[in-house]
Amino acid sequence: MKIAVIGTGYVGLVSGVCFSDFGHTVTCVDKDATKIDTLLRGEVPIYEPGLEALMVRNVEGGRLSFTTDLASAIDGAEAVFIAVGTPTRRGDGHADLTYVMAAAEEIARLAQNYVVIVTKSTVPVGTNRRVAEVVRAANPSLDFDVASNPEFLREGAAIDDFMKPDRVVVGVQSERAADVMAEIYRPLYLRDFPIVTTDLESAEMIKYAANAFLATKITFINEIAMLCERTGADIKQVSQGMGLDGRIGNKFLHAGPGYGGSCFPKDTRALARIGQEHAVPMQITETVIKVNEEIKRRMIDKIFALCADRLAGKTVAVLGVTFKPNTDDMRDAPSLTIVPALIGAGAKVRVTDPQGRHEGEGLLPGVTWVEDAYEACENADLVVTLTEWNEFRALDLKRLAGSMATPHMADLRNIYAAQDAEKAGFAAYDSIGRTAWQKEEAVQ
């Protein structure tokens, strides 16, 4: 099939590349000429393991191309995917649909034959019907259908998630559109991956409900972690005991400094707004949003406590600033709350992250970027593990402690055991949901 994908951001690029690997002929379109030039050179503008090699293979196979010319991209296309940004709208928390509607109108003006217009972007319930209205208004004679096809890609594991999905959700209004979507996803259907076909509104709601539930699960375990610290329980043992219950499962039960990224913050706020608009307040989701922000701020309190509440003039080493490992994405990362607070308190902050510097240099002014954890910790007063990159999971703790001015650690991802830190020579250690300790001589 011939497919066009509008938008070469995270969702659009991954989807386009993977569709081409299914054997379809795919053209990815973007108005950003610089981004298209980068892609035409065989370079990927985002960090996603395995994506560049897959992209190059399909370009060389003649199945994948990139352009700024929408007209040529949709000429003869049987499906056009809208994968543009839907950022949180300022003031009300709703998803901004400006780019989605603009793309729909452009498709309508340029399309000449029957086409399925597929919304891949995460959009509020009712958006696809609005897309249909925009298309009809722009080109009343166009033969078309709309479909909702939300993505469920985890950054850092997007290729596997696309090729081996838990499920593919497709919302349609007609059998004709359902047939087109079934043909697009035929390679997955043949391998017995679940294809869930619904109405438009249900498909839209599935995406928001799934992300809000996962955000709730993360926030719940983080709140339990706070209680563990007060009661002497160990959150790792508690999470393990909970996760073995098949009704709960062990995923998303890892306590940390709060969720971030491109999906959970945006989608929880949008779902809360949808509830308000329909007079059905999403009280659990609203509480999750509030508690998640409190958790990020609580991490700052932990760091201050490890420095006797005096950060002015202290050197703090921060290991990792992206919202999770295996991505360069810093959207709503806990580091964007924590690091500015440290700088504001007068600390000298050194940062190391395997992929975060490109975005981080603009988002975290005032920090010093270094190559690795050992350089970051040289003569530092405190080390903070903020992202659980593999590079930070097996550090020589004795070497770190020996190089620091005051060997204190805030392990905000529970990478290490408290006894290992003490054995390595750390004088103070705190983590999430476990008992903190500090030697008397460490109090300064």
Side-chain angles (χ1 to χ4, degrees):
M1 299 185 74
K2 182 176 181 181
I3 296 171
V5 179
I6 301 177
T8 58
Y10 189 86
V11 173
L13 185 57
V14 171
S15 299
V17 170
C18 290
F19 280 141
S20 70
D21 206 58
F22 284 173
H24 302 305
T25 300
V26 180
T27 305
C28 294
V29 191
D30 204 293
K31 290 186 175 181
D32 187 337
T34 301
K35 187 181 290 186
I36 293 298
D37 287 342
T38 299
L39 292 165
L40 289 172
R41 292 195 304 269
E43 302 171 9
V44 175
I46 60 173
Y47 177 75
E48 177 61 38
L51 183 58
E52 185 170 310
L54 195 64
M55 183 187 81
V56 170
R57 185 174 80 198
N58 283 284
V59 169
E60 291 176 348
R63 295 179 295 275
L64 179 64
S65 59
F66 305 96
T67 184
T68 57
D69 183 5
L70 180 59
S72 65
I74 68 174
D75 183 23
E78 294 158 275
V80 180
F81 285 78
I82 298 175
V84 296
T86 53
T88 299
R89 195 165 61 196
R90 290 185 179 180
D92 63 5
H94 218 315
D96 187 342
L97 300 177
T98 302
Y99 304 117
V100 172
M101 296 306 168
E105 186 172 351
E106 283 193 77
I107 295 167
R109 295 188 186 283
L110 294 170
Q112 298 179 4
N113 303 307
Y114 173 76
V115 65
V116 179
I117 301 170
V118 189
T119 305
K120 197 72 173 166
S121 306
T122 301
V123 295
V125 179
T127 298
N128 280 279
R129 294 193 185 276
R130 286 181 56 194
V131 166
E133 293 171 1
V134 167
V135 172
R136 277 192 290 268
N139 187 351
S141 64
L142 181 64
D143 188 12
F144 75 98
D145 275 305
V146 296
S148 175
N149 181 213
E151 55 83 19
F152 299 95
L153 305 178
R154 294 170 300 159
E155 294 189 41
I159 304 299
D160 271 353
D161 284 350
F162 200 101
M163 299 297 193
K164 302 173 184 178
D166 295 325
R167 78 289 200 198
V168 174
V169 175
V170 176
V172 291
Q173 290 178 288
S174 73
E175 287 297 324
R176 191 178 184 186
D179 289 343
V180 170
M181 297 302 293
E183 186 62 28
I184 290 173
Y185 283 107
R186 182 176 173 78
L188 297 181
Y189 175 79
L190 292 174
R191 289 185 286 153
D192 293 324
F193 289 105
I195 311 294
V196 181
T197 303
T198 72
D199 57 80
L200 294 175
E201 287 79 8
S202 295
E204 293 164 335
M205 184 63 81
I206 286 168
K207 169 68 174 182
Y208 280 110
N211 277 356
F213 185 84
L214 294 175
T216 300
K217 198 171 180 182
I218 292 169
T219 305
F220 178 82
I221 202 63
N222 283 337
E223 207 167 38
I224 292 294
M226 289 190 284
L227 187 58
C228 285
E229 291 176 11
R230 295 294 181 91
T231 61
D234 186 315
I235 191 60
K236 282 203 166 186
Q237 296 177 26
V238 172
S239 296
Q240 182 184 25
M242 288 175 60
L244 290 172
D245 187 325
R247 298 166 300 175
I248 298 172
N250 61 4
K251 293 183 178 179
F252 292 87
L253 286 180
H254 301 289
Y259 63 74
S262 60
C263 292
F264 291 171
K266 175 173 66 70
D267 293 352
T268 50
R269 288 192 290 264
L271 182 61
R273 182 59 181 172
I274 293 167
Q276 292 165 7
E277 289 183 346
H278 289 82
V280 185
M282 296 289 100
Q283 297 179 66
I284 293 174
T285 301
E286 290 174 358
T287 301
V288 165
I289 295 168
K290 173 178 175 290
V291 172
N292 190 61
E293 291 305 311
E294 291 173 354
I295 287 167
K296 292 179 185 179
R297 290 192 292 270
R298 189 168 177 272
M299 300 302 105
I300 299 168
D301 294 338
K302 283 180 172 288
I303 293 170
F304 269 80
L306 282 167
C307 292
D309 294 327
R310 295 191 302 272
L311 275 172
K314 299 288 180 68
T315 298
V316 179
V318 175
L319 310 188
V321 290
T322 55
F323 88 94
K324 63 181 287 188
N326 296 321
T327 181
D328 58 356
D329 197 342
M330 289 188 59
R331 283 174 285 186
D332 278 291
S335 63
L336 299 182
T337 299
I338 295 168
V339 172
L342 305 184
I343 294 173
K348 301 172 185 177
V349 179
R350 297 183 194 144
V351 170
T352 183
D353 188 290
Q355 294 293 333
R357 185 167 184 171
H358 178 69
E359 285 193 32
E361 283 187 324
L363 294 171
L364 296 173
V367 307
T368 300
W369 291 87
V370 298
E371 289 301 314
D372 59 37
Y374 298 106
E375 184 180 353
C377 290
E378 189 72 33
N379 292 317
D381 298 286
L382 173 70
V383 57
V384 180
T385 59
L386 205 48
T387 311
E388 65 275 34
W389 285 91
N390 282 337
E391 288 90 328
F392 305 145
R393 288 185 177 276
L395 294 170
D396 184 339
L397 294 184
K398 188 173 182 179
R399 177 181 170 187
L400 283 187
S403 72
M404 296 176 68
T406 55
H408 296 182
M409 176 183 284
D411 185 4
L412 304 186
R413 292 292 182 177
N414 289 352
I415 295 174
Y416 296 102
Q419 59 267 32
D420 291 339
E422 184 175 19
K423 184 178 178 181
F426 278 89
Y429 175 89
D430 198 3
S431 58
I432 309 297
R434 301 183 295 184
T435 302
W437 57 265
Q438 186 163 277
K439 297 178 180 178
E440 290 186 12
E441 62 268 25
V443 180
Q444 299 179 12

